[in-house]
């Protein structure tokens, strides 16, 4: 697969040859063609946020259940990525351009997630859930399933009538009527390939073989899908070094991989040096809500309690506020309240220096990621830290959103995500509205929010650090195909 | 309630060296766990753990071969031996792990059924006690699971072992079973699980309208012995408390109706019959009773209750066959499935008895050629174990032949 290289702005759709027509894709081979880096990055990020959503919703609802499916449907519609594949009704045709996007984005994410066992496991899990979701949408459409089997050299021969007679009694016990059974094809498959059917006793198992009908093929296919994907990832991971030689690719992959942990933002040397005075204006324009809230609380109360201090202090350090400026800022605010400069120096300054790695064990502390903020240290009375989308009371959050300039409609959209526990997606929407941007920026770190905001405000409208005018050749994805 | 045997620590400490030296089937154990004559291929990466006196616990013990295993065993004389999986590298060499993270590569598929999990449905004993009145629960469990493993999953090499106190274990040694992933083990365990729900669920069995063939088979096994077990041995409807417990398995609305009818009967057996008759006739606009209610009730009282975590986990340890149970002194003996009905857990060899038998034989100077275990009650149990290994042996002998055939062919060209 070649991505980019052409000078003309052409979209994925016209350039990359499609592999199969059905929405079920095995992703056996990477597509041919050229792709602009822009598109390369954006489809990857879009697919990534879809996978994240599968994870979030899967964690909350029973997979495969009605709530799970309808929730996914709603959210997928909102995101709009691969809409005709994932959201359209059965009658509307699939947009072929989207099939290509599906393939391309899948292959890019393979690159990003093949490196460690943990990433692989995450990726495989979400991709399998996505695959199962597609299966669910086609509703056992026999033609599609058969096509899929054919396209992927999957050969299953139905058992003979005499073999069927041998298990007839058991099939009837399971609720089939003799006539229907006679006219149904049964396939004999190793029980290991349909574990989910075995687990729930939805299938007849004899001597290590499960007897499934085409209606049960979803499980069979998911198993094959999982097996092949995990094999491909294993192969690919041995070649990741070659792929990462391209700086732009490796930057993108890095962004994708750091989904939870985030870049650690503890190294401040490369960042702009901010001044204490600039924080007021930054907090309005470029701070995520959690930090803006802390900033305002500090400004009005002239104090923050322990976890609030930590969360905000480390964030400020991460966005490039030097130690001296930080000391000045905190001293200034605290002294306006009940804390004298003297007391400040004794009780608080040490901690600030400490968190910059200038005291004690001299490790520089890492700013908190969204995950950490969401999951640890539930705020109590008089606390202002935490994630607004998770920890604020519903009404209060609404009020705040309004106060921060979000329209009624925007507020509703954000609230929807917050209500369904997708705090980071809520934050992402907030970001989009606040910056009037269409670009999808998955938020996983307050500092990343800040950086993305600065990037948009300062007019550098590309994610990552690549040269905007240069598209890239990327033949290495071919590696996977030729293995 | 019959007394469960107990043994004191000192006696045990004195007898263990004799037991390990003369009676414990070391050679066969190694042959089994190495799955080959040579042993070295698999055996040296197999985890054992020893529990010594005063609960000193040694995990990750591995032994190069039979000789080293025997030497360590006789030196340590562990109170308890647990068997783990075969690792991808030797766990003790943690410094030179050259093959990535330490992970279990192979592990028998195991099942652990513990009588304590039935405490809410047995009235004779509780906790670690067992007696002939509750032992049928283990017989049901063994039959049901054994049949499923053989007929449904096609596993041929199953070793059932009495744990020495209150439960039974099953070791499945087929190559495919040893190589199952954790997901597959979980699926099998779930397939075999019917009783679900904790203290706050009264009715723990709910079956589909169409019972799965494996459950139908289980229902047959249970119903054959249910009357004798539940009515005669447990007297499960014998008093008001037991009866009202039974009635909680029915929908609230019809409990009184059934209760009144059943109370007319004098014995559990009468009451159970009355229940079944009335259930047949029962019609009501308000409640609909489950189509499979009788089976559901029998299952709640008798269907195997697995410790699913033991089956699922690849790195779970399980007590070795032929271990001495440190509290009862009983040998963890294999159970001959063909003679399950005559297996009496309260009558299995106890370490002091078999050591005494050995001593008596020494005195009358029996033929020296006779192996020691044959002079004791261990004999029939070791034979069950040997039969298990002999059948396994055929599988790797077959493999060896295939391999040497291949080698032979290479030579020809």
């Amino acid at each position: 697969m070649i991505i980019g290289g052409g000078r003309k702005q052409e979209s994925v759709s016209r350039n990359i040859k499609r592999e199969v027509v059905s929405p079920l894709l095995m992703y056996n081979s990477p597509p041919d063609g050229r792709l602009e880096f822009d598109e390369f990055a954006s489809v990857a990020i879009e697919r990534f946020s879809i996978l994240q959503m599968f994870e979030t919703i899967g964690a909350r609802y029973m997979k495969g259940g009605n709530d799970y499916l309808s929730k996914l449907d709603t959210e997928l519609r909102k995101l709009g990525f691969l809409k005709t594949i994932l959201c359209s009704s059965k009658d509307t045709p699939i947009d072929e351009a989207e099939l290509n996007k599906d393939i391309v984005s899948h292959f890019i994410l393979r690159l990003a997630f093949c490196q460690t066992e943990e990433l692989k496991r995450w990726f495989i899990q979400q991709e399998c859930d996505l695959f199962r979701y597609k299966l669910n949408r086609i509703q056992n459409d026999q033609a599609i399933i058969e096509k899929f089997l054919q396209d992927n050299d999957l050969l299953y021969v139905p058992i003979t009538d005499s073999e069927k007679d041998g298990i007839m009694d058991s099939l009837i016990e399971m609720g089939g009527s003799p006539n229907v059974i006679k006219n149904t094809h049964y396939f004999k498959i190793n029980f290991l390939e349909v574990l989910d059917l075995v687990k729930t006793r939805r299938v007849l198992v004899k001597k290590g073989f499960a007897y499934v009908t085409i209606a049960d093929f979803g499980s069979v296919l998911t198993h094959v899908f999982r097996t092949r994907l995990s094999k491909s990832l294993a192969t690919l991971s041995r070649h990741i070094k070659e792929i990462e030689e391209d700086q732009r690719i490796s930057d993108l992959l890095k962004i994708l991989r750091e989904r939870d942990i985030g870049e650690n933002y503890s190294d401040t040397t490369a960042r702009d040096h901010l001044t204490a005075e600039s924080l007021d204006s930054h907090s309005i324009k470029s701070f995520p809500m959690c930090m803006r809230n802390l900033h305002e609380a500090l400004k009005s109360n002239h104090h923050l309690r322990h976890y609030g201090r930590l969360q905000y202090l480390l964030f400020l350090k991460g966005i490039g506020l030097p130690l001296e400026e930080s000391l000045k800022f905190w001293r200034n605010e605290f002294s306006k309240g009940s804390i004298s400069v003297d007391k400040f120096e004794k009780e608080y300054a040490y901690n600030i220096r400490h968190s910059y790695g200038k005291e004690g064990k001299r490790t520089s502390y890492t700013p908190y990621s969204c995950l950490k903020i969401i999951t640890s240290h539930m705020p109590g009375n008089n606390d202002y830290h935490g994630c607004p989308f998770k920890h604020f009371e519903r009404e209060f959050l609404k009020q705040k959103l309004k106060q921060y300039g979000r329209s009624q409609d925007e507020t509703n959209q954000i609230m929807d995500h917050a209500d369904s526990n997708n705090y980071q997606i809520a934050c992402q929407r907030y970001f989009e509205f606040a910056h009037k941007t269409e670009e999808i920026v998955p938020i996983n770190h307050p500092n990343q929010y800040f950086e993305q905001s600065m990037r948009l405000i300062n007019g550098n409208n590309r994610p990552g650090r690549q040269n905007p005018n240069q598209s890239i050749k990327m033949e290495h994805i071919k590696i996977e195909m030729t293995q | 309630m019959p007394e469960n045997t107990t043994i004191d620590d000192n006696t045990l400490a004195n007898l263990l060296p004799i037991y390990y030296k003369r009676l414990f089937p070391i050679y066969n154990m190694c042959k089994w766990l190495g799955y080959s004559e040579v042993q070295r291929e698999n055996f040296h990466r197999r985890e054992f753990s020893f529990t010594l006196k005063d609960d000193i616990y040694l995990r990750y013990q591995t032994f190069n071969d039979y000789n080293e295993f025997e030497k360590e065993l006789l030196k340590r004389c562990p109170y308890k031996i647990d068997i783990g999986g075969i690792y991808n590298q030797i766990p003790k060499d943690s410094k030179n792990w050259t093959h990535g993270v330490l992970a279990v590569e192979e592990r028998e598929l195991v099942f652990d059924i513990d009588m304590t999990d039935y405490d809410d449905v047995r009235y004779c004993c509780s906790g670690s006690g067992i007696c002939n009145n509750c032992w049928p629960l283990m017989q049901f469990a063994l039959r049901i699971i054994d049949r499923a493993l053989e007929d449904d999953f096609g596993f041929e090499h199953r070793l059932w072992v009495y744990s020495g106190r209150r439960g039974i274990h099953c070791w499945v040694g087929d190559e495919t079973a040893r190589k199952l992933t954790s997901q597959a083990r979980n699926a099998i365990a779930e397939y075999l699980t019917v009783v679900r729900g904790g203290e706050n669920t009264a009715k723990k069995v709910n079956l589909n309208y169409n019972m799965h063939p494996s459950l139908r088979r289980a229902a047959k096994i249970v119903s054959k012995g249910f009357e004798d077990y539940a009515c005669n041995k447990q007297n499960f409807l014998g008093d008001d408390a037991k009866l009202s417990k039974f009635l909680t398995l029915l929908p609230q609305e019809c409990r009184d109706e059934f209760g009144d009818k059943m109370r007319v009967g004098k014995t559990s057996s009468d009451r159970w019959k009355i229940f079944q008759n009335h259930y047949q006739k029962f019609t009501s606009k308000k409640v609909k009773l489950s189509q499979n209610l009788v089976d559901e009730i029998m299952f709640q009282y008798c269907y195997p209750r697995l410790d699913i975590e033991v089956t699922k986990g690849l790195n779970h340890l399980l007590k070795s066959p032929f271990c001495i149970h440190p509290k009862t002194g009983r040998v963890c003996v294999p159970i001959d499935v063909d003679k399950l009905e005559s297996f009496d857990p309260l009558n299995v060899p106890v370490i002091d008895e078999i050591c005494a038998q050995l001593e008596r034989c020494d005195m009358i100077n029996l033929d020296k050629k006779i192996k020691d275990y044959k002079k004791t009650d261990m004999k029939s149990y070791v034979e069950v174990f040997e039969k298990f290994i002999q059948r396994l042996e055929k599988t790797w002998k077959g493999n060896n032949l295939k391999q040497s055939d291949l080698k032979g062919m290479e030579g020809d060209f």
Side-chain angles (χ1 to χ4, degrees), chain B residues 26-27 30 38-40 43 63-75:
Chain B
I26 304 179
Y27 183 73
C30 294
V38 206
Q39 290 172 15
R40 218 173 300 136
F43 187 76
F63 308 103
N64 270 326
D65 52 21
Y66 165 75
N67 292 324
E68 198 187 343
F69 181 57
E70 182 180 40
K71 208 179 103 198
E72 279 301 302
L73 200 61
L74 296 179
K75 190 175 110 193

Side-chain angles (χ1 to χ4, degrees), chain B residues 25 64 118 133 161 176 185 217 313 320 335:
Chain B
N64 270 326
Y118 293 83
N133 287 336
V161 183
T176 46
R185 287 163 206 261
R217 186 183 54 217
S320 164
I335 300 171

Side-chain angles (χ1 to χ4, degrees), chain A residues 36-152:
Chain A
E36 286 300 314
F37 184 84
D38 265 5
E39 200 151 7
F40 177 88
S42 82
V43 291
I45 288 170
E46 279 185 287
R47 189 185 195 86
F48 178 59
S49 37
I50 282 194
L51 295 185
Q52 278 187 312
M53 207 173 62
F54 270 87
E55 182 189 31
T56 323
I57 294 176
R60 186 152 159 70
Y61 300 96
M62 196 189 66
K63 279 181 192 171
N66 284 339
D67 288 348
Y68 172 78
L69 294 171
S70 68
K71 191 81 203 156
L72 273 174
D73 186 66
T74 328
E75 296 299 319
L76 286 167
R77 271 172 209 284
K78 275 184 212 158
L79 288 179
F81 183 59
L82 305 183
K83 203 168 190 164
T84 63
I85 298 176
L86 300 173
C87 310
S88 65
S89 72
K90 257 191 116 188
D91 312 319
T92 36
I94 288 168
D95 180 358
E96 297 196 6
E98 292 205 329
L99 279 179
N100 286 325
K101 272 194 191 173
D102 190 351
I103 299 170
V104 173
S105 59
H106 171 87
F107 275 96
I108 301 169
L109 291 194
R110 275 195 190 185
L111 297 177
F113 288 93
C114 68
Q115 221 174 19
T116 72
E117 285 309 312
E118 195 204 347
L119 291 170
K120 263 190 246 175
R121 210 176 310 125
W122 186 87
F123 180 64
I124 292 172
Q125 183 60 49
Q126 313 317 324
E127 282 285 341
C128 283
D129 286 350
L130 176 65
F131 184 80
R132 223 175 267 139
Y133 181 75
K134 284 183 183 174
L135 272 169
N136 194 280
R137 292 204 60 81
I138 61 163
Q139 299 279 341
N140 289 316
D141 184 321
Q142 206 153 330
I144 294 182
I145 290 179
E146 274 168 17
K147 172 150 183 33
F148 183 78
L149 292 175
Q150 236 170 39
D151 287 347
N152 293 291

